[in-house]
Structure formats: C-alpha cells, structure tokens
C-alpha cells in the first residue's frame, strides 16, 4: 500500500529529497516501505520523523525515531 501511494505522488524534480512522517503502530514498517519505494524511483530521503509505540530500527539514519503513547 505504501509503495502504491509513493508511486502516485507527483514529485517535482530538484527538491533535494523527500521528508517522511510516519505515525502509529505500523510507522516503522511504513517508513521502510516508503524508503524502498522512493529508492526504486531514484528519489532521496532528506529526513523525517517516525513515531511509534516501540523503539524500532529505522531504514535510514536520516530518519529520527520517537516512542510515543496515546494521550491521557
């Protein structure tokens, strides 16, 4: 699903990379899928934020991971 969403994006050339934001339980997997899809397209990842319920490995050092929880 993430790969299809990335493929549907009309990204203008010369922007210096894409910034990602992924939030939720599946955020690390969504970020990994987005990085794979962008790499396949020849696009770079400039940076981004991944907020998940656990500390999980990220697909690139350009992403920052944060452990979050539901608000009280």
């Amino acid at each position: 699903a993430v790969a299809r969403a990335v493929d549907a994006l009309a990204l203008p050339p010369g922007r210096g990379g894409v910034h990602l934001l992924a939030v939720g339980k599946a955020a690390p997997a969504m970020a990994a899928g987005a990085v794979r899809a962008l790499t396949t397209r020849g696009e770079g990842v400039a940076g981004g934020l991944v907020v998940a319920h656990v500390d999980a490995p990220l697909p690139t050092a350009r992403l920052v991971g944060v452990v979050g929880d539901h608000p009280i």
Side-chain angles (χ1 to χ4, degrees):
V2 173
R4 285 191 308 271
V6 169
D7 287 342
L9 295 174
L11 300 172
R15 82 204 146 278
V18 175
H19 285 84
L20 301 177
L21 174 62
V23 179
K25 289 181 188 176
M30 289 187 297
V35 169
R36 275 193 307 274
L38 288 165
T39 301
T40 299
R41 284 180 64 162
E43 300 287 345
V45 175
L49 178 65
V50 179
V51 182
H53 69 295
V54 294
D55 189 17
L58 300 175
T60 175
R62 293 185 177 194
L63 297 176
V64 174
V66 177
V67 176
D69 199 353
H70 289 280
I72 296 178

